[in-house]
Amino acid sequence: MSRDGTWQDAEALETAAGTAGHCAHGADTAGRLADGTVEALAAAGFTSAFAPVRPDGTAATTATFGAVTQAVAAIGEGCTSAAWLASLWAYNGRFTAFLPDEGRQEVWAKGPDTRVVSSMVAAGVRAEQVDGGWELSGKWLYVSGVEFADWALLSSAPPREGDRSIRVFAVPKDAFTHEVSWSTLGMRATGSHTLLVERAFVPEYRSFVWDDMRQGVLPSGTGSSVHGAPLFAVNGLTFAAPILGAARAALRLVEDQLATPPSGARAAARDSARIAYTRAAGEIDAAALLLARVAETADLGGLAEDGAAFRSHRDATLAVEILVGAVDRLFKVSGTRGQATTSPMQRIWRDVHAAGSHAALQFEPAALAFTQRLVAA
C-alpha cells in the first residue's frame, strides 16, 4: 500500500479478489472460507496492512485508511465473508500498536503474515492479576477467522467508555481453542466462532487498557497517525467496506440483467427496473463518497478537529444504511431469479443484512454522539 492510496501489490489483490469470488458459493454453503482464499488474502498483504512493527523493530505501516477501504471493497465484490476477514486482519493488526514494545515484537515475530483476530464480546471472563501479569480464563463470542488465527486480542470485560479497568490481552494460538458456534442467515463463511481460554498466563507486556485504544492514546513514541486514530472514528470503515463491495456486485448483477432483452411479463416492468437500478447506482456512489471522506479525514490527521471524529462515525453508519437500502432495491428488481439458491444475489442480500446489523454500524448511537455537544450547550 502506498501513501497515494493505491495497493502496493495490485496483482496479488486481483488474485485474491478472483479467488474469493470463485469460491464464494462454496464458502457460503460450507460455512467456511476455502483455504485458498485465506492464503490469497494473506499473500495480498491484508494481515500486515496496519502492522506497527517489522521483526527488526522498525515501523512497517505504509497503508492508508483509503487504500485499505478500497482493497477490502474489491474483495467484497466477490465474497463478503472474505472481505470481512481481510478487513479484520488489517484493523486487528492496527490494534497491536497499543501493546508495549516487547508485546508488539512478540506478536509480530513470525513476520507480516501474522493473523490477528479479536473479540471484545467477553462472556464469563476471569482475569486475575498475578506476579508478572495476569491469569486469564473465559470465552469470547464472534471471533471472526479464529480457525486461521496466530494471535487473539481479547478484552477482560465488555468495553465501557472511560472504564480504565478493562484491559485487552494478546494471547497466542497455543493458549486458546474454539468451539463451532457460528450458524447464521448471512455472512456464513466468516467463521465467527467462540474462542475459549483456560488459565493462560499473559505477561504484563502483552496487555493494554481498552480505553486507550478507544481514544487513540498510543504508548510513547509508538506508531503513526494511522494507529492513533480513535477507535469509534474509524471502526465503521472496518465493517462498511465489505458491504460497499457487496453492493457493487449486486449492482453489476442487475446491470447484466438489464442488458438482456426482456420478454413476457418482464417487459412491462422494464422502465421501473431501469429507474430502480439508476437510483441504487447513485446511492452506492453516495455511500462510497461518505466512506472516502471518513478515510481521508483519518489519513490527513483531521480527526483532531472539533467534531470530525463524531462526523466520521455518523458518516460510516449512514453509508451502511444507504447501501443496505440500495441492495434491497436491487434484490427486488432481480425478481425470482435473484432468489434462486444458485444466485449470488440472494447471498449478497443475506450478507449485507447480516453485516449491516453489526453494533458498530448502527446509526442511532452515532447520531446521539454527534448531537451530544448541541444538547450540552
Side-chain angles (χ1 to χ4, degrees):
M1 294 68 57
S2 65
R3 285 294 178 186
D4 64 1
T6 59
W7 200 253
Q8 190 171 22
D9 193 338
E11 185 177 351
L13 177 61
E14 184 177 357
T15 298
T19 302
H22 178 73
C23 298
H25 177 73
D28 180 67
T29 303
R32 186 182 189 275
L33 290 175
D35 290 342
T37 298
V38 175
E39 295 302 325
L41 293 176
F46 286 102
T47 53
S48 60
F50 288 142
V53 293
R54 294 190 180 95
D56 64 3
T58 59
T61 296
T62 57
T64 63
F65 287 107
V68 171
T69 299
Q70 292 175 38
V72 169
I75 301 296
E77 292 186 41
C79 177
T80 326
S81 289
W84 192 267
L85 180 60
S87 191
L88 284 170
W89 273 352
Y91 281 87
N92 290 334
R94 190 180 82 89
F95 298 160
T96 64
F98 293 88
L99 288 165
D101 181 65
E102 189 175 356
R104 292 193 304 275
Q105 296 294 334
E106 187 171 339
V107 168
W108 290 99
K110 171 185 171 181
D113 290 340
T114 300
R115 302 166 184 182
V116 183
V117 299
S118 71
S119 176
M120 304 297 124
V121 189
V125 173
R126 181 177 61 83
E128 181 180 350
Q129 196 155 13
V130 296
D131 187 32
W134 284 266
E135 184 179 85
L136 184 67
S137 295
K139 64 180 181 178
W140 289 262
L141 310 180
Y142 313 128
V143 189
S144 299
V146 65
E147 298 164 284
F148 312 110
D150 294 311
W151 287 84
L153 297 175
L154 308 169
S155 67
S156 59
R160 295 180 295 272
E161 183 176 335
D163 191 333
R164 305 290 297 174
S165 69
I166 298 173
R167 302 191 68 87
V168 177
F169 302 100
V171 180
K173 64 180 180 181
D174 60 2
F176 61 77
T177 58
H178 76 274
E179 60 183 27
V180 175
S181 57
W182 183 249
S183 180
T184 57
L185 180 66
M187 302 297 286
R188 291 176 174 173
T190 60
S192 304
H193 301 303
T194 300
L195 183 150
L196 301 98
V197 174
E198 180 62 33
R199 300 188 66 178
F201 173 70
V202 182
E204 175 78 28
Y205 63 80
R206 278 206 263 116
S207 175
F208 60 85
V209 175
W210 177 84
D211 203 58
D212 284 342
M213 183 170 71
R214 181 188 71 84
Q215 298 182 72
V217 179
L218 291 163
S220 179
T222 298
S224 65
S225 58
V226 165
H227 299 109
L231 177 62
F232 74 92
V234 296
N235 204 28
L237 291 174
T238 313
F239 308 108
I243 299 173
L244 174 61
R248 286 172 172 166
L251 189 70
R252 281 203 312 275
L253 290 172
V254 173
E255 185 175 315
D256 293 342
Q257 183 176 323
L258 289 174
T260 303
S263 60
R266 285 184 57 233
R270 181 72 166 180
D271 287 351
S272 61
R274 289 168 58 190
I275 293 168
Y277 164 84
T278 303
R279 185 179 297 277
E283 289 171 334
I284 293 168
D285 282 350
L289 288 170
L290 281 171
L291 294 176
R293 181 168 72 169
V294 174
E296 183 179 39
T297 300
D299 286 331
L300 296 179
L303 291 174
E305 297 175 8
D306 186 35
F310 295 102
R311 185 192 68 194
S312 289
H313 186 198
R314 178 206 68 187
D315 284 355
T317 59
L318 181 58
V320 168
E321 280 199 354
I322 294 170
L323 290 169
V324 173
V327 171
D328 278 345
R329 198 183 310 281
L330 295 166
F331 183 59
K332 182 177 180 180
V333 168
S334 69
T336 304
R337 70 172 64 185
Q339 299 175 36
T341 56
T342 55
S343 170
M345 180 62 85
Q346 54 82 24
R347 171 176 51 80
I348 290 169
W349 183 82
R350 288 186 287 105
D351 284 349
V352 163
H353 275 271
S357 69
H358 193 282
L361 300 178
Q362 303 314 297
F363 180 74
E364 289 79 3
L368 293 176
F370 182 73
T371 56
Q372 181 57 43
R373 56 183 177 159
L374 302 178
V375 175

